[in-house]
C-alpha cells in the first residue's frame, strides 16, 4: 500500500506537494486554494479543475482522507493528510534537500574555482 | 415586451476545437447574449447586460447528483459561475476582472487528464456502438429496414472513431508540451 502510493505520486508535482502541505490541517477545497496561494507567496494559483482532479486522485491513493463536510456549507468536503501522505512528504522533502545540498555545493565549488 | 429575450442558436463545435467554442460564447456575451442551456449542437441564450466573460469546459463523469453539487461548489468558491451540463461536459464562465485564475486547469498535466477521461468514455461508447449494429444483423437478417438501421449506426460509428482519432492526436501533442 505504502509502496504503491510512493510509486504513483513520486516525484511529487508542485501542485500535489502544495496541496498535501496545506492539508496538515483539515481544509475544504477553497481553503486549500487560499492556503496554497499564501504558502507560495501568490505564485501558485490552483485552477478549480486542477484542484478537484488532484483531490480525487490523492484520496483514491490514500494520501489524504475525507473527514466530513463543512457544517456551514454541506457542499464543501473537508480533507486531511493521512499517515501515508505524511511519509510521502517526508521522503520527498529528503530527496529535495539532498538535491538542494548538491546544487549548493556545486555552485560554491565552481564560484571559488572561477576566482 | 417587443424584444425577444431568449434565443436558440444551432452551431457545431467538436471537443478538439473548444477554444473556438469558448471564443464564440465570449463574443455572444459581449453582445449581451449569455448562455443558459446547452443541448447537442444547440445553445440557448438569454439577453442581459453585455460583459466580457471567459467560458471554460471540463469533462468529468459524475456518479450522482451530490457529487456534481460538490464539484460545482468548488468551482463557485473559486469564482466560476456554473452554466450547464451536457452529459459529462460541464460549462463554466467568469467575468474577466484580471483577478484570480482565468483557467480551470493550472497545469498541463490536469489538462491532459481531462482529454484522457474523454478518450476513455469515447472508447467505451464505441465498443458498445460497434457491437449493437452487428447484433442487429444476427437477430433479424435480410430485412431492408434492418439494413437501413445498420447503415445509419455504422455511419455514427465512423464519426465516433474519427472523434477518438482527433482526441488521441490532441493528447499526444499535450504530452509533448509536458516533456518540454
Amino acid at each position: 500500500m505504502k509502496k504503491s502510493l510512493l510509486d504513483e505520486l513520486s516525484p511529487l508535482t508542485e501542485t500535489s506537494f502544495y496541496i498535501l502541505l496545506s492539508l496538515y490541517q483539515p481544509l475544504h477545497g477553497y481553503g486549500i486554494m487560499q492556503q496554497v496561494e499564501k504558502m507560495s507567496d501568490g505564485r501558485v494559483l490552483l485552477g478549480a479543475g486542477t484542484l478537484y482532479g488532484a483531490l480525487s486522485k490523492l484520496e483514491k491513493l490514500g494520501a489524504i482522507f475525507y473527514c466530513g463536510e463543512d457544517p456551514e456549507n454541506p457542499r464543501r468536503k473537508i480533507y486531511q493528510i493521512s499517515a501515508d501522505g505524511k511519509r510521502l512528504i517526508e521522503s520527498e522533502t529528503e530527496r529535495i534537500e539532498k538535491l538542494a545540498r548538491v546544487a549548493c555545493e556545486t555552485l560554491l565549488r565552481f564560484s571559488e574555482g572561477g576566482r | 415586451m417587443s424584444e425577444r429575450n431568449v434565443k436558440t442558436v444551432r452551431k457545431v463545435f467538436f471537443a478538439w476545437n473548444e477554444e473556438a467554442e469558448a471564443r464564440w460564447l465570449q463574443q455572444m456575451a459581449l453582445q449581451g447574449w449569455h448562455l443558459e442551456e446547452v443541448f447537442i449542437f444547440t445553445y440557448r441564450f438569454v439577453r442581459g447586460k453585455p460583459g466580457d466573460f471567459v467560458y471554460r469546459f471540463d469533462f468529468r463523469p459524475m456518479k450522482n447528483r451530490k457529487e456534481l453539487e460538490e464539484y460545482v461548489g468548488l468551482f463557485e468558491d473559486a469564482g466560476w459561475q456554473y452554466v450547464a451540463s451536457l452529459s459529462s461536459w460541464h460549462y463554466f464562465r467568469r467575468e474577466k476582472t484580471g483577478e484570480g485564475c482565468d483557467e480551470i486547469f493550472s497545469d498541463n498535466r490536469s489538462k491532459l487528464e481531462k482529454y484522457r477521461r474523454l478518450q476513455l468514455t469515447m472508447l467505451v461508447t464505441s465498443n458498445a456502438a460497434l457491437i449493437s449494429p452487428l447484433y442487429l444483423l444476427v437477430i433479424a437478417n435480410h430485412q431492408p429496414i434492418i439494413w437501413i438501421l445498420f447503415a445509419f449506426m455504422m455511419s455514427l460509428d465512423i464519426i465516433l472513431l474519427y472523434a477518438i482519432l482527433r482526441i488521441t492526436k490532441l493528447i499526444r501533442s499535450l504530452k509533448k508540451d509536458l516533456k518540454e
Side-chain angles (χ1 to χ4, degrees):
Chain A
M1 165 75 211
K2 188 187 147 202
K3 197 163 179 258
S4 74
L5 177 68
L6 283 171
D7 287 348
E8 278 270 346
L9 292 170
S10 175
L12 275 174
T13 61
E14 191 174 36
T15 302
S16 301
F17 214 122
Y18 270 119
I19 293 172
L20 285 173
L21 286 175
S22 73
L23 287 175
Y24 270 75
Q25 55 183 329
L27 282 177
H28 52 64
Y30 186 54
I32 296 170
M33 281 181 187
Q34 291 173 310
Q35 182 65 19
V36 168
E37 189 178 345
K38 211 169 84 189
M39 283 194 300
S40 66
D41 297 322
R43 199 175 58 79
V44 180
L45 300 173
L46 290 176
T50 298
L51 177 61
Y52 187 88
L55 289 174
S56 315
K57 193 173 173 188
L58 290 171
E59 190 189 10
K60 208 174 85 193
L61 293 170
I64 61 171
F65 63 92
Y66 168 62
C67 45
E69 50 198 32
D70 187 339
E72 285 163 30
N73 184 348
R75 291 199 310 181
R76 288 177 165 174
K77 287 171 93 174
I78 297 171
Y79 294 97
Q80 205 171 347
I81 191 166
S82 68
D84 279 343
K86 284 180 183 169
R87 269 196 291 277
L88 177 62
I89 285 289
E90 281 155 20
S91 75
E92 283 290 286
T93 305
E94 235 168 74
R95 182 178 66 79
I96 291 168
E97 255 178 357
K98 165 135 178 58
L99 184 64
R101 206 160 54 234
V102 173
C104 286
E105 283 166 13
T106 307
L107 288 177
L108 202 65
R109 187 149 50 91
F110 280 90
S111 70
E112 277 168 357
R115 254 179 232 150
Chain B
M1 289 258 290
S2 59
E3 208 177 3
R4 281 177 50 206
N5 288 312
V6 177
K7 79 167 164 185
T8 305
V9 182
R10 291 191 164 272
K11 208 163 166 74
V12 178
F13 288 108
F14 293 104
W16 54 85
N17 63 355
E18 51 181 82
E19 278 96 350
E21 187 176 357
R23 268 200 306 275
W24 177 64
L25 293 172
Q26 190 177 6
Q27 285 301 317
M28 293 297 283
L30 283 169
Q31 293 159 28
W33 289 106
H34 302 284
L35 186 66
E36 186 190 46
E37 198 59 71
V38 194
F39 311 98
I40 298 173
F41 304 140
T42 305
Y43 301 78
R44 194 170 69 215
F45 298 90
V46 283
R47 191 189 281 281
K49 216 173 115 230
D52 195 5
F53 284 88
V54 189
Y55 280 84
R56 291 292 178 260
F57 324 112
D58 191 11
F59 183 87
R60 193 174 278 281
M62 291 289 161
K63 283 193 207 87
N64 50 48
R65 178 118 216 123
K66 187 166 165 33
E67 198 175 78
L68 179 68
E69 275 171 16
E70 284 159 357
Y71 166 79
V72 165
L74 181 59
F75 276 75
E76 286 179 349
D77 281 347
W80 291 92
Q81 193 186 336
Y82 172 64
V83 183
S85 294
L86 175 63
S87 73
S88 295
W89 282 100
H90 310 292
Y91 286 63
F92 296 94
R93 72 169 159 240
R94 76 186 296 155
E95 197 157 11
K96 264 193 157 172
T97 53
E99 263 175 62
C101 199
D102 269 356
E103 296 296 334
I104 58 172
F105 296 112
S106 46
D107 60 21
N108 282 332
R109 189 179 299 266
S110 50
K111 206 170 168 181
L112 176 72
E113 277 165 5
K114 166 181 152 185
Y115 293 108
R116 283 230 180 95
R117 289 193 292 276
L118 176 63
Q119 188 189 36
L120 182 72
T121 302
M122 282 161 70
L123 283 171
V124 171
T125 314
S126 73
N127 264 332
L130 280 175
I131 291 164
S132 50
L134 296 176
Y135 180 70
L136 208 64
L137 282 188
V138 173
I139 55 161
N141 49 353
H142 307 309
Q143 284 177 27
I145 182 75
I146 296 294
W147 282 104
I148 293 164
L149 216 59
F150 177 76
F152 175 71
M153 284 164 110
M154 284 313 280
S155 45
L156 282 184
D157 285 345
I158 289 163
I159 296 168
L160 190 60
L161 289 177
Y162 175 71
I164 291 172
L165 209 73
R166 291 298 300 257
I167 293 300
T168 307
K169 237 174 98 183
L170 189 66
I171 289 174
R172 209 170 295 155
S173 79
L174 280 170
K175 257 191 197 157
K176 227 186 268 163
D177 289 347
L178 210 59
K179 278 186 197 128
E180 272 160 13

